[in-house]
Every structure is written in structure tokens, then in C-alpha cells.
Amino acid sequence: MGPHPAVAAIRLAVRRVLHDVITEGRRNAGHERPAEAARRPAHAAGSPYAETGASGGSLTALPERPDTPLVLVACSGGADSMALASALAFEARKLDVRAGGITVDHNLQPGSGLRAAEVVTRLTAMDLDPVEAVAVHVGREGGPEAAARDARYAALDAAAERHGAAAVLLGHTRDDQAETVLLGLARGSGIRSLSGMAAASGPAGRYRRPFLQLDRQTARKACLVQSIPVWDDPHNIDPAYTRSRLRHEGLPALEKALGKGVVEALARTAQLSRDDADALDTWAAEAELSVRDETGRLECAGLHALPPAVRRRVLRRALIEAGAPAGSLFARHLEEVDRLITGWRGQRAINLPGRVEALRQGGRLVIRQS
């Protein structure tokens, strides 16, 4: 008798990602053998496995090599990340992968240090190694949720560098993806925000999200049937936090008004939006070369001729290159700069985040730090 369907589903999702990590590592190191490349299906994004379904059929493990990659799981102790840790521990034993875990103590609640120590104990009991807890200081820039996220990713980046990890697994589910899409829609910041979270992101695709096609209940059920203790963060039900309100009030209201399937539809929207945004980004990168003069400055006439979606991407790339923080550039900033191209009336220089300014001068768009 095979594992419970929820357990089989999370293991299969992790197995796919681990095969991707192994294959990418070998390809980058020039180690991939012709036979391995030949059996990799075209639709598998570089993964040499043959899927047999969520019931847990076997996938061919790759032979061991001396350069075994280390994969870390970021674990808060909640159901999503504990399910992810258990699946990583199980699959790593069958593949050419070392598995470890990191828990981040945000120091935002009483007893957070003790809870982090408990997570370390549980991950160690799963035979993960290395395992460590990292305490961080959460600032205030961007609001409490954004500040906590920035501190967390900085700690995970440092841990990955410290241990030489090939990848860090994150437990974001399809429900998290739906929430992210709605938050992006509320900000009105364009199709890239609607594309939600990528399956792989960060430096060299460091962060992997195996559960984006699985719902939150599947992860929780997997923990329940395996008797894995989980911790429910009170911040996740605190109405002071925007995502918490969306989770417990916004999405249920949408499902009541529109019927079931809203989460799945939003997740599907994220993927479609990501495909479109990637295509537009590629177009913008190519178009940028054609609108710069011999000194590298942007020509306003050339910019004006571009489709608006492409032009705004060229502008955003230029602003970030000049020093504007990507996370602080919003749609209103780009609209103001865009008006220097499409609605020129002799405007003064526009001040932007990162002490960057944009001004029109002699038919050229000048972007520089003030």
C-alpha cells in the first residue's frame, strides 16, 4: 500500500525540483552525460524524470557523484514548511542530494527563540544536516510584512552562501500564490505583479517553490497523516496584517460571490501573466539597444515609437541601473517619467527613489543620481 495521496503529492513535487537541481548542477559543471540529456523530456524544464502520477510511482534516481549538491529547506515550523521538510528528507535519501534546513527567528513574538530551537530539533530528527536557526532584526522600511520578508531573505541568502547550498526550498502554496496575485492587483503595479511568485527565483534560481501547484490543505493533511507537529503563527490570523485579512476575509468573500475555484483561477492567471511579462521583458531588452545613441543616452523619439508596455520596461531598467531600488519603484513613478517622453511640456527633473532623477535634455532622457 502506497503513501497517503497528500504525502505522495508533496513528495512528487519535491522530487521534481531535486531532479532539476541535480541536472542543472551537472550541466553547469559540464558533467551531464549524453544518456541523461537524451532521456530528459522537453516539457520538464531540464528534469530527467518520467512522471508516473501523484500516486507516487518511482522516478529513476541519478547515480551518485562526488559533487553532491546541498539543498536547504526554509522552515518556520508551520504546516507548509514542515511538510516540505519531511518530503525533502524522504526524497534526498533516494537521490544524489544532501539536505539541510534553516529556520529564521524574526524576534517579533515572545518565545520566538524557543520555537526556533524546537524547529531545529525537529529538522535534526528528520536527519537533515546542516540545520541551524538564524536570528534577525526586522526593521520598519516598507511596513512590517515587507521588512520581515527582507530580513528573512537576507538571512536565507547568507545561509545559502555560508553552506554553499545549490538551492533553498520555500513552502509557498497555490493559496499563497492567489493571495500574492490579489495583492499585486490592489497595488495596480502591472502585469509583473499579477505574475505572482516564480517557481524559481533569486540569484541563479536559488529559491525553489515546489508547492505552487498544491493547495494549503494538502500540505496540512500530509503533516497530519505523518504525525508531524506544526506551529500556527498567530500573525497569520492577525487582522493587523494585510495578507491575513486577505486570507481570512477577502478570499472567502470572493469565493462566496463568485463560487469555488477562485484560488485555482488566480494561480492560473499568475502563470499566464508571468509568460506574458517574460516575453515583454525580452522585447524590452532588445528594444533598449535600438533607442540609445552613440554615447549610451536614451533617445526620446525612439522611446516614443515603442509600444507603451515595452517603453515602460526600458525606462524601469534604466532607472534601476542608475540606482533606484527595484522594490521602491511603483507605477506612478514610471508614469511620471513616461510623460517626459509622451507628454513633454517643459517639465522639471523628476525625483525618484534612490536619489535618482530623470529629465529631458536636448531630445535625450537623462537618468542619473543627484
Side-chain angles (χ1 to χ4, degrees), residues 61-369:
L62 299 178
E64 292 186 0
R65 301 189 69 89
D67 51 348
T68 303
L70 169 65
V71 176
L72 300 174
V73 57
C75 187
S76 67
D80 301 341
S81 59
M82 288 301 294
L84 183 59
S86 72
L88 173 62
F90 181 85
E91 295 298 332
R93 288 193 289 268
K94 303 189 298 178
L95 297 172
D96 190 17
V97 173
R98 293 181 294 130
I102 302 293
T103 185
V104 178
D105 174 13
H106 296 83
N107 284 305
L108 294 177
Q109 302 171 34
S112 63
L114 291 175
R115 278 190 293 275
E118 289 174 3
V119 173
V120 166
T121 299
R122 291 172 186 169
L123 296 181
T124 302
M126 292 179 181
D127 293 329
L128 298 183
D129 181 40
V131 173
E132 67 172 327
V134 180
V136 298
H137 170 72
V138 176
R140 298 187 177 185
E141 186 175 352
E145 292 168 284
R149 182 175 60 251
D150 290 345
R152 179 167 60 254
Y153 276 103
L156 293 176
D157 277 334
E161 295 290 341
R162 186 164 58 252
H163 294 290
V168 178
L169 305 189
L170 305 176
H172 297 121
T173 64
R174 187 170 61 191
D175 301 81
D176 296 307
Q177 184 73 298
E179 293 162 7
T180 301
V181 171
L182 284 177
L183 289 170
L185 181 63
R187 287 194 295 267
S189 45
I191 195 171
R192 181 55 74 183
S193 286
L194 296 183
S195 65
M197 296 175 285
S201 65
R206 167 180 292 160
Y207 294 108
R208 308 295 175 108
R209 298 175 175 86
F211 290 175
L212 285 183
Q213 301 302 317
L214 301 177
D215 62 27
R216 193 172 286 140
Q217 282 304 112
T218 297
R220 186 168 288 276
K221 185 67 174 179
C223 289
L224 179 63
V225 299
Q226 295 178 100
S227 300
I228 297 174
V230 300
W231 172 65
D232 290 315
D233 186 347
H235 283 174
N236 289 336
I237 58 173
D238 188 342
Y241 294 94
T242 303
R243 187 176 286 267
S244 175
R245 294 195 302 274
L246 182 59
R247 180 175 302 176
H248 298 287
E249 300 173 24
L251 271 172
L254 280 176
E255 290 201 333
K256 183 178 179 180
L258 303 175
K260 295 293 183 181
V262 170
V263 168
E264 292 86 343
L266 288 169
R268 188 164 59 251
T269 295
Q271 185 56 59
L272 294 172
S273 298
R274 181 167 297 279
D275 292 343
D276 290 349
D278 288 345
L280 286 168
D281 284 347
T282 300
W283 186 357
E286 295 170 352
E288 183 177 354
L289 300 176
S290 68
V291 297
R292 287 190 181 274
D293 63 17
E294 62 280 359
T295 66
R297 292 184 300 173
L298 291 167
E299 297 176 319
C300 295
L303 286 168
H304 195 284
L306 294 175
V310 177
R311 182 174 60 246
R312 284 192 289 268
R313 279 168 168 75
V314 172
L315 295 176
R316 188 173 189 276
R317 286 165 57 93
L319 293 172
I320 292 172
E321 185 179 336
S328 300
L329 277 177
F330 302 124
R332 58 184 174 83
H333 295 129
L334 292 177
E335 288 169 2
E336 290 179 17
V337 177
D338 196 44
R339 277 195 287 272
L340 293 177
I341 308 300
T342 62
W344 173 241
R345 298 291 186 275
Q347 298 97 312
R348 294 182 179 179
I350 297 170
N351 295 317
L352 300 155
R355 296 186 298 105
V356 170
E357 67 174 14
L359 67 154
R360 181 163 173 157
Q361 200 172 70
R364 302 291 189 270
L365 185 67
V366 179
I367 299 175
R368 63 195 180 195
Q369 280 196 313

